[in-house]
Amino acid sequence: MADPILQQSGIFTPAVIDDIQTKAASGLYQIRGYGTLRQRRWATFDDLTFLPCSLTRIPLEGYREKCTTAVTLGTRYAKRPIQLDVPIMITGMSWGALSLNAKVALARGARAAGSSNTTGDGGMLMAERENSRTLIYEVLPSRYGINIHHMLMADGIELTIGQGAKPGTGGLLLGSKVSEVIARQRDLPAGVDQRSPARHPDFLGPDDMIVKVEELREATNGEVPIFVKMGASRVYDDVKLAAKAGADVIVVDGMEGGTGASPAILQEHTGIPTLAAVCEARAALEDMALYGEVQLVIAGGIRDGVDAAKAIALGADACYIGTAALIALNCNRPLHVEDYAKIGAAPYACHHCHTGLCPVGVTTQDPELMRRLPIDEAAERVSNLLHAMTLEIQMLARACGKSDVRRLEPEDMAALTTEASAICGIPLAGTRKVYGH
Amino acid sequence: MAEITPLATVECGQRPIREINQEIKALIAAGRTGIELAGPGARHNLGVGIVQLARIHIRGSAGYYCAGLIDGPEFEVDGSAGWGLAESMMSGKVVVHGNAGNGAAAAIRGGTVVIHGDAAARLGVSMKGGLVLVGGDCGYMAAFMGQKGTLIVCGNTGEAFADSMYETTCFVGGKVGDLGTDAVIEPLSEEDIAMLDSTLATHFSAGERARKPAPRAFQKIVAGRKLWNFDKRNWQWWREAL
């Protein structure tokens, strides 16, 4: 039994006390990277389980029978849709938030796996283009580094409205990471705490965006798909508006999505979970009779092939990974442990991307730290992760009797909680009931 | 500037915008670098994404994103232009004889945008270089988050002018409606006056220039740099800014 004298408050926990005292000292909200750190009490992909074949369905041989993983994005309007060998893509993360070595390693890793990677806030790094097979060019509200020539070199254009970690707010790049090189790339003074805008400079609402999407399509001669990426908030309505605006591909980034630096409260208290987001997005496209014609990419805390397979079964054509790819690069690995301690972190508990002092050379602009991430080895780990995740998806698909991972469907799963049943419209395990429907 | 060949005419009519833009690009590729667009009908996305040297004369008004995402060409618009005029331009020149809608010259990285009439809200927002010159007034939040380049408004500005800027330098010949967060007025230097004199002389006719304020009457507005880095001593600024 707890000592009544030493008992801690359930309201003013040590973490709350630290937060209040930190703000009392700094006069500023807390800023950090990584994404939500809360213990998840909301419905997640873990609240679903696959129902493999037994007598009612016949499985495919798990280790050998053909199970296709290729995916095509941009079939609606683009002359040159994106063809990927695997349904896992690398999401947009800026050169600035990430080191040059990290960006190039992600590009090479994605290329080796037959996947894609995405630029980020700050424009295209030429070394990234040279090392990519399929590179998607992000057009963000800041327009840092915007360059029509780079757009013409891209395989897809992603108009980013928001990000899952912080929908409705722009990103941050603190002064320690705005090196001379990064400042030049972004047309900023070196060392400023760069605050990206939330609104695009040249359109505001969904009706304007119709013209904006057309502009991007005109600028690229209709060759490549136009993605529209949103943080998950009012997903059902937002997806409908993006589809109406002419998006070829819609990306929905759930609240578990990562960030290089943002106010902590936004990471913890804004947006809806990825599981809920994929269900709303699919419903929106189905209600517009555009499901299958407009492709859906889901992002936000996707950890492994299981999460990705469940997202695909719920309606995604492909998934983005960000944090998982950085972890493959070495993020939070117990190397250079003393340098984690110097920034007040520890392996497995580091979310200090915002400091620019990443001990493993991933989220830094310090040349010394960056050297800790040899590109070839890091690229191989990224490629291996993409392969392994794809094998996991195939494993589950074959067990469910599917010869193409895209044939996974909600009927292949049962819900383990009433919340997941209600959100996904899937019967609760042990019942034939879909709760809330 | 490329050598001007005999003027080629592109009839806009009711043709799809893709067809119009592809014809413009095909003409330029064939060496026809002097082009006029007849009957533009304020269509959106006219002349988007052109990355070659050319002179394109729009005989009327243009809609949204006219000359957006260009690098190199010169545009002249006889009428007015809609939102996002010349947005993200790398280099070139865009002249509008009428008015321009919201977000004119947004995020430009270079080149020159001249609007002889008025500009609406968010003129030059997030501009990263280049020159923006407005003969009349501008709406609210002009030069918001301006990073580099020069913005000149001969008339009055709307609210929150030059808010949260980095290194854009602004000049206003009329009344500044309301300075944005961290915007400060700085005395004009002799170099500033010479630059204003030369810029007005370059882009305006003598008659037009005579109706503009004299260079010495302009106010210069730059960033106070209080928002460049987080500092608890400036918390009241941040409360306003975020």
Side-chain angles (χ1 to χ4, degrees):
Chain A
M1 184 173 164
D3 183 332
I5 297 172
L6 295 179
Q7 194 173 356
Q8 293 174 349
S9 166
I11 301 167
F12 292 95
T13 60
V16 171
I17 291 170
D18 277 350
D19 178 59
I20 291 171
Q21 292 176 347
T22 302
K23 287 185 291 198
S26 70
L28 192 67
Y29 43 78
Q30 298 225 43
I31 294 169
R32 61 170 176 76
Y34 212 63
T36 178
L37 301 178
R38 292 161 74 189
Q39 294 301 310
R40 296 200 286 180
R41 291 191 207 130
W42 54 86
T44 72
F45 291 116
D46 288 344
D47 295 318
L48 299 173
T49 188
F50 279 102
L51 301 175
C53 304
S54 51
L55 288 177
T56 60
R57 288 150 179 78
I58 310 301
L60 272 68
E61 286 296 338
Y63 305 105
R64 48 186 72 83
E65 263 188 291
K66 188 173 175 183
C67 179
T68 311
T69 60
V71 59
T72 304
L73 303 174
T75 55
R76 189 183 191 188
Y77 295 124
K79 287 186 213 163
R80 194 155 48 88
I82 287 174
Q83 310 278 355
L84 301 174
D85 295 343
V86 298
I88 314 289
M89 310 152 78
I90 307 291
T91 194
M93 293 176 278
S94 79
W95 175 44
L98 302 193
S99 66
L100 185 146
N101 286 19
K103 285 296 278 178
V104 175
L106 291 172
R108 277 192 205 170
R111 182 178 67 188
S115 181
S116 70
N117 46 295
T118 309
T119 56
D121 202 1
M124 185 186 285
L125 172 65
M126 287 318 295
E128 183 182 23
R129 174 65 275 183
E130 288 157 10
N131 284 278
S132 302
R133 180 178 101 159
T134 301
L135 180 58
I136 298 161
Y137 185 88
E138 259 192 298
V139 176
L140 291 119
S142 70
R143 308 285 169 87
Y144 292 133
I146 186 90
N147 185 321
I148 177 62
H149 300 283
H150 293 170
M151 290 173 74
L152 290 167
M153 293 163 70
D155 301 293
I157 305 293
E158 184 170 277
L159 181 63
T160 299
I161 307 303
Q163 189 180 337
K166 49 179 188 296
T169 306
L172 293 171
L173 192 69
L174 298 185
S176 59
K177 294 173 89 169
V178 184
S179 65
E180 291 287 344
V181 174
I182 295 300
R184 201 160 42 247
Q185 169 84 359
R186 299 186 182 208
D187 297 301
L188 287 168
V192 298
D193 292 327
Q194 172 231 293
R195 301 154 290 134
S196 296
R199 284 195 304 266
H200 278 269
D202 52 357
F203 71 93
L204 295 175
D207 292 332
D208 311 332
M209 197 175 84
I210 295 171
V211 191
K212 183 69 193 176
V213 168
E214 184 186 58
E215 185 212 20
L216 296 173
R217 212 185 299 285
E218 281 304 298
T220 49
N221 302 306
E223 292 283 335
V224 299
I226 309 296
F227 292 43
V228 173
K229 177 183 177 182
M230 298 171 292
S233 52
R234 295 174 181 85
V235 175
Y236 180 79
D237 293 331
D238 287 343
V239 166
K240 280 187 154 185
L241 291 167
K244 184 187 167 200
D248 295 290
V249 180
I250 294 175
V251 183
V252 180
D253 189 12
M255 68 177 274
E256 295 98 323
T259 174
S262 296
I265 57 163
L266 299 181
Q267 296 174 57
E268 302 295 9
H269 300 286
T270 63
I272 68 167
T274 305
L275 178 75
V278 63
C279 296
E280 284 198 43
R282 177 182 179 149
L285 291 175
E286 283 181 337
D287 287 355
M288 295 181 81
L290 287 174
Y291 181 65
E293 184 176 338
V294 173
Q295 281 79 44
L296 183 62
V297 175
I298 290 296
I302 302 288
R303 302 163 295 182
D304 50 28
V306 182
D307 286 348
K310 290 173 180 174
I312 290 167
L314 289 172
D317 290 276
C319 296
Y320 269 155
I321 58 167
T323 305
L326 300 191
I327 291 171
L329 291 180
N330 270 348
C331 166
N332 269 288
R333 191 168 193 158
L335 301 168
H336 312 288
V337 176
E338 66 289 353
D339 287 342
Y340 281 97
K342 279 184 199 165
I343 55 174
Y348 309 108
C350 185
H351 37 80
H352 291 47
C353 330
H354 61 293
T355 63
L357 299 172
C358 176
V360 290
V362 175
T363 60
T364 182
Q365 296 306 314
D366 181 320
E368 291 298 319
L369 293 172
M370 190 170 74
R371 265 194 279 277
R372 295 178 178 179
L373 187 70
I375 292 173
D376 286 343
E377 295 166 24
E380 189 175 346
R381 291 196 297 275
V382 172
S383 167
N384 286 344
L385 176 68
L386 292 169
H387 277 301
M389 287 179 70
T390 304
L391 289 171
E392 288 175 337
I393 300 169
Q394 287 175 306
M395 182 72 64
L396 293 163
R398 288 190 186 105
C400 292
K402 305 296 164 79
S403 59
D404 185 325
V405 298
R406 288 170 307 165
R407 297 207 184 109
L408 284 167
E409 55 191 321
E411 194 271 339
D412 290 319
M413 297 184 291
L416 298 173
T417 63
T418 50
E419 287 89 347
S421 173
I423 291 166
C424 302
I426 291 175
L428 180 68
T431 78
R432 290 168 186 274
K433 287 172 71 175
V434 176
Y435 280 76
H437 286 251
Chain B
M1 185 64 224
E3 190 182 338
I4 301 300
T5 49
L7 207 60
T9 300
V10 175
E11 296 285 349
C12 296
Q14 297 304 309
R15 298 163 68 197
I17 194 70
R18 172 74 47 82
E19 209 175 288
I20 297 168
N21 283 331
Q22 290 301 312
E23 186 177 345
I24 295 170
K25 288 175 182 175
L27 283 166
I28 297 170
R32 303 291 300 276
T33 53
I35 298 167
E36 66 169 3
L37 299 193
R43 300 283 296 276
H44 299 316
N45 293 319
L46 287 170
V48 157
I50 293 172
V51 292
Q52 295 88 8
L53 298 180
R55 261 187 202 156
I56 297 164
H57 194 147
I58 298 180
R59 302 281 188 191
S61 289
Y64 283 27
Y65 304 119
C66 173
L69 290 160
I70 59 168
D71 186 13
E74 295 186 6
F75 277 77
E76 186 173 358
V77 181
D78 284 348
S80 292
W83 286 31
L85 172 75
E87 68 90 9
S88 302
M89 171 169 67
M90 305 281 293
S91 73
K93 185 177 174 186
V94 178
V95 177
V96 174
H97 290 286
N99 304 316
N102 283 3
I108 63 168
R109 299 190 70 190
T112 300
V113 175
V114 180
I115 299 159
H116 286 267
D118 298 328
R122 295 165 65 80
L123 166 75
V125 57
S126 290
M127 61 186 286
K128 302 163 198 323
L131 169 70
V132 180
L133 172 61
V134 176
D137 301 335
C138 72
Y140 61 84
M141 289 190 91
F144 175 63
M145 291 187 72
Q147 295 171 228
K148 286 181 178 166
T150 305
L151 183 141
I152 304 169
V153 178
C154 296
N156 305 321
T157 79
E159 294 173 331
F161 183 72
D163 193 294
S164 303
M165 285 202 308
Y166 292 102
E167 292 178 305
T168 297
T169 306
C170 302
F171 299 92
V172 178
K175 188 181 164 198
V176 177
D178 161 42
L179 281 180
T181 305
D182 198 33
V184 297
I185 295 173
E186 191 172 88
L188 285 175
S189 67
E190 287 306 313
E191 289 77 20
D192 294 329
I193 291 163
M195 182 279 293
L196 285 165
D197 197 36
S198 140
T199 303
L200 297 178
T202 301
H203 298 288
F204 293 147
S205 66
E208 206 175 359
R209 195 178 160 205
R211 296 192 293 276
K212 307 298 179 205
R216 286 186 188 280
F218 278 75
Q219 294 185 84
K220 179 181 182 182
I221 294 106
V222 297
R225 304 186 175 199
K226 285 195 169 68
L227 298 180
W228 283 21
N229 291 92
F230 291 108
D231 185 339
K232 66 180 175 185
R233 289 168 300 182
N234 293 327
W235 68 269
Q236 71 278 23
W237 286 89
W238 285 102
R239 194 176 57 177
E240 290 288 319
L242 294 178

